[in-house]
């Protein structure tokens, strides 16, 4: 009787592809990539949403609000949904690849929410009013503080070195 062979999972039909984040962020350890991507995702999304909403505000052709049944859907709603998805993914998966993607998604979701923080605080659409500056101040503070923390902690490496790119 021949011993049964079980498939070796380490040699699957699809060899593991290198992470795109390894090419984009060379030298950044996997444990840190999610934080760096969250920072970039936040900064770029915040800037992009400000640009998009300004284009809507000045009535550029082809650019408009997202509506459902005639009701404007503010972009903080999409941010809350993204943050909920990131939270669920963080409970389920902890691989380096997923940490990188969830870091990026977290930054995007947080930017969508904080960009409308003034609305959430006052419960009025003050996006283009003076009170709307609260959202800009908060976002700039987040970008500055997170960037500073990333810069100050850059030289600190986890013991054991780079444990793969996920």
């Amino acid at each position: 009787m021949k011993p049964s062979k079980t498939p070796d999972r380490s040699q699957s039909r699809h060899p593991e592809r290198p992470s795109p984040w390894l090419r984009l962020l060379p030298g950044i350890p996997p444990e840190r990539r999610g934080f760096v991507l969250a920072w970039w995702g936040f900064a770029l999304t915040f800037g992009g949403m400000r640009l998009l909403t300004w284009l809507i505000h000045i009535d550029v052709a082809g650019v408009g609000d997202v509506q459902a049944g005639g009701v404007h859907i503010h972009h903080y709603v999409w941010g809350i949904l993204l943050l909920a998805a990131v939270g669920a993914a963080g409970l389920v998966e902890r691989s380096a690849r997923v940490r990188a993607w969830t870091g990026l998604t977290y930054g995007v979701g947080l930017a969508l929410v904080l960009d409308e923080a003034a609305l959430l605080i006052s419960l009025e659409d003050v996006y283009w009013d003076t009170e709307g500056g609260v959202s800009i101040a908060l976002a700039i503070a987040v970008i500055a503080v997170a960037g500073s923390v990333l810069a100050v902690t850059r030289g600190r490496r986890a013991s054991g070195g780079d444990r793969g790119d996920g």
Side-chain angles (χ1 to χ4, degrees):
M1 186 169 183
K2 285 186 178 180
S4 66
K5 275 190 147 180
T6 57
D8 183 6
R9 296 215 186 269
S10 65
Q11 295 184 12
S12 65
R13 289 180 282 150
H14 305 290
E16 190 166 325
R17 296 174 296 158
S19 171
W21 305 119
L22 185 59
R23 290 187 301 273
L24 183 65
L25 300 169
I28 306 289
E31 298 83 16
R32 194 169 166 78
R33 277 186 211 130
F35 293 109
V36 172
L37 288 166
W39 182 63
W40 275 107
F42 182 91
L44 294 174
T45 301
F46 177 75
M49 287 311 299
R50 281 283 153 173
L51 175 62
L52 178 63
T53 54
W54 177 70
L55 293 172
I56 293 168
H57 185 68
I58 64 170
D59 214 12
V60 170
V63 181
D65 291 330
V66 174
Q67 295 191 8
V71 175
H72 171 69
I73 308 295
H74 288 273
H75 53 269
Y76 73 82
V77 173
W78 308 113
I80 291 169
L81 293 173
L82 282 175
L83 292 175
V86 166
L91 293 172
V92 175
E93 182 66 49
R94 289 181 170 79
S95 72
R97 183 180 301 266
V98 171
R99 274 197 322 264
W101 281 106
T102 55
L104 179 64
T105 308
Y106 176 79
V108 169
L110 187 60
L112 292 172
V113 172
L114 282 188
D115 187 40
E116 294 198 308
L119 179 151
L120 294 168
I121 292 168
S122 67
L123 297 179
E124 292 181 27
D125 195 353
V126 294
Y127 197 85
W128 295 109
D129 296 341
T130 304
E131 297 91 356
V134 169
S135 298
I136 296 171
L138 280 172
I140 290 171
V142 166
I143 292 167
V145 169
S148 297
V149 168
L150 287 171
V152 167
T153 61
R154 183 169 185 230
R156 298 182 185 163
R157 299 271 174 149
S159 61
D162 193 62
R163 291 184 287 254
D165 63 37

